[in-house]
Amino acid sequence: MTSLFYSEPEFVIALHKLIIFVNPNDLQIFKEITLPDDLTKCGEGKFVISQTEDEGDEDSKQQQQGNLNKESPIIQHVKLSNNSQMLAVATSGQKALLLYKLRPEHGKLMCIRSLTRACSGLVFSKNGKRLLVTDKTGDCYEYDCEDMEAKPKLLLGHLSIVYDVLWSADEKYIITCDRDDKIRVSHYPNTHDIHGYCLGHKEFVSALGFLNNDILISVSGDKSLRLWDFKESKELKKLDLPAPGLKFSLRLLGADKYQLAVLLYQPNKCVALYEIHRSHEEWKFSDCQLSSFPDIIGFNLCFAGERLYVAGAVNQRLSLQVDANSPSAPKYWLQMVEDQFKDFEWQPEDKSSWFKKKYDNVSDYLERKQRRIEEKKN
């Protein structure tokens, strides 16, 4: 899985075993982090077999040790703390959580914690001292980022995979979304007390974010984007999308005014662009503008300054492109980034399995594309 995000002045790109921190305005690479080939034999940091407060048995230890004896680790999710001092990396293959200290150190591995199950989402607390980790069985754990040997706490659970997790600005609530079309708002730290649900989506909810401290935004496989007053469990606005939504990125344009980019589950015209603004207490959306990326299957997107970047795969290699409506990237910049990952084969996850009823408008496109390539060879 590829991670793509911007924390000024650093644009962060992660894929396979490599994380790079680059300047989006020139060819400077600030730093690089490469995963160890075998986490159990890593000389840096401290390795911890992590049991929760409820998982002290020998079977759990053996299961986690078995996970670490599998194939080498591959980056699954990456998250940067708000103060840009800590970086969390969750891996598949050898399932683990790695914590790096970025400042004043230059990417020092502080700790490796084994995971029982594959991670599906990460988010730091505001001060970077705690980390929420969700997994593919629907559980959400809290990890201490200061006491590296502290046992993780099981905070809450869903009945299906959790795709995204947020902490509210005041950290009184944890917000999670899942494959079963639910958005759950839980009190924190008393997470057994469910504050409410934001209900209305008919398919998986793939991504969450905030417009401000009170307004939640969500995108879903039901071809909709919705705004919520999450404290009141109230839907404020529904926007119909041209195709199922996978991810989104926001760029602040002014007071209560944003540019919104939504990654769609469809080939070619895979990005929908909108402007959002508030007028007389009501949020309004501009008409949709579709952006075309004909050569890639988009998997992630991110605003960095005024530029919108889209990451995808071409011939099982990373392709990074800038939206045609954005200012162009510096000369050779995109090629420089792609060259960093040229040795890593990569195939985006098949999202058709996320839907309740199998929905696939990408596989046919890929088959037709392959036939065209073979016809040209002949």
Side-chain angles (χ1 to χ4, degrees), residues 37-42 47 49 59-74 91-96 112-116:
D37 290 327
D38 187 344
L39 300 182
T40 62
K41 298 178 181 178
C42 180
F47 184 83
I49 296 289
D59 289 342
S60 175
K61 292 182 180 180
Q62 291 178 359
Q63 180 180 355
Q64 293 187 57
Q65 187 63 56
N67 288 337
L68 290 167
N69 290 332
K70 294 180 179 179
E71 64 270 23
S72 65
I74 302 297
T91 61
S92 60
Q94 289 184 328
K95 299 184 182 70
I112 304 173
R113 285 158 149 162
S114 62
L115 296 176
T116 304

Side-chain angles (χ1 to χ4, degrees), residues 86-103:
M86 298 292 292
L87 184 79
V89 181
T91 61
S92 60
Q94 289 184 328
K95 299 184 182 70
L97 174 66
L98 290 72
L99 285 178
Y100 289 88
K101 192 168 185 180
L102 302 182
R103 297 174 184 169

Side-chain angles (χ1 to χ4, degrees), residues 14-200:
L15 176 65
H16 204 271
K17 288 181 175 293
L18 179 64
I19 307 167
I20 62 173
F21 299 72
V22 296
N23 188 331
N25 298 312
D26 60 34
L27 300 182
Q28 180 183 9
I29 298 178
F30 292 119
K31 52 181 168 282
E32 297 181 10
I33 293 175
T34 302
L35 292 189
D37 290 327
D38 187 344
L39 300 182
T40 62
K41 298 178 181 178
C42 180
E44 297 180 82
K46 180 178 285 189
F47 184 83
V48 180
I49 296 289
S50 301
Q51 282 79 44
T52 68
E53 293 175 345
D54 301 323
E55 289 182 336
D57 62 0
E58 194 62 32
D59 289 342
S60 175
K61 292 182 180 180
Q62 291 178 359
Q63 180 180 355
Q64 293 187 57
Q65 187 63 56
N67 288 337
L68 290 167
N69 290 332
K70 294 180 179 179
E71 64 270 23
S72 65
I74 302 297
I75 294 170
Q76 192 75 11
H77 294 278
V78 176
K79 200 71 176 182
L80 187 67
S81 63
N82 290 344
N83 58 15
S84 298
Q85 292 189 4
M86 298 292 292
L87 184 79
V89 181
T91 61
S92 60
Q94 289 184 328
K95 299 184 182 70
L97 174 66
L98 290 72
L99 285 178
Y100 289 88
K101 192 168 185 180
L102 302 182
R103 297 174 184 169
E105 288 84 355
H106 209 61
K108 180 181 179 182
L109 180 57
M110 303 297 293
C111 180
I112 304 173
R113 285 158 149 162
S114 62
L115 296 176
T116 304
R117 305 173 187 90
C119 170
S120 63
L122 300 168
V123 65
F124 277 99
S125 62
K126 188 180 299 184
N127 61 13
K129 295 181 179 180
R130 290 161 291 151
L131 178 70
L132 299 183
V133 179
T134 59
D135 66 32
K136 293 192 174 183
T137 63
D139 290 336
C140 177
Y141 295 89
E142 181 183 36
Y143 283 78
D144 193 315
C145 297
E146 292 184 312
D147 183 356
M148 302 300 182
E149 296 187 5
K151 294 181 178 180
K153 298 177 183 178
L154 177 60
L155 296 184
L156 58 93
H158 286 242
L159 296 177
S160 63
I161 181 173
V162 173
Y163 286 125
D164 208 352
V165 56
L166 298 176
W167 239 313
S168 62
D170 58 9
E171 297 188 353
K172 292 182 178 180
Y173 305 96
I174 293 174
I175 306 170
T176 45
C177 62
D178 64 20
R179 184 182 177 184
D180 291 336
D181 59 54
K182 292 191 295 297
I183 301 171
R184 171 175 165 177
V185 183
S186 305
H187 286 281
Y188 178 81
N190 299 317
T191 49
H192 63 275
D193 183 7
I194 300 175
H195 181 76
Y197 289 92
C198 297
L199 302 176

Side-chain angles (χ1 to χ4, degrees), residues 313-326:
V314 174
N315 298 325
Q316 297 185 324
R317 293 295 189 276
L318 173 70
S319 175
L320 187 65
Q321 300 188 19
V322 176
D323 178 55
N325 300 297
S326 299

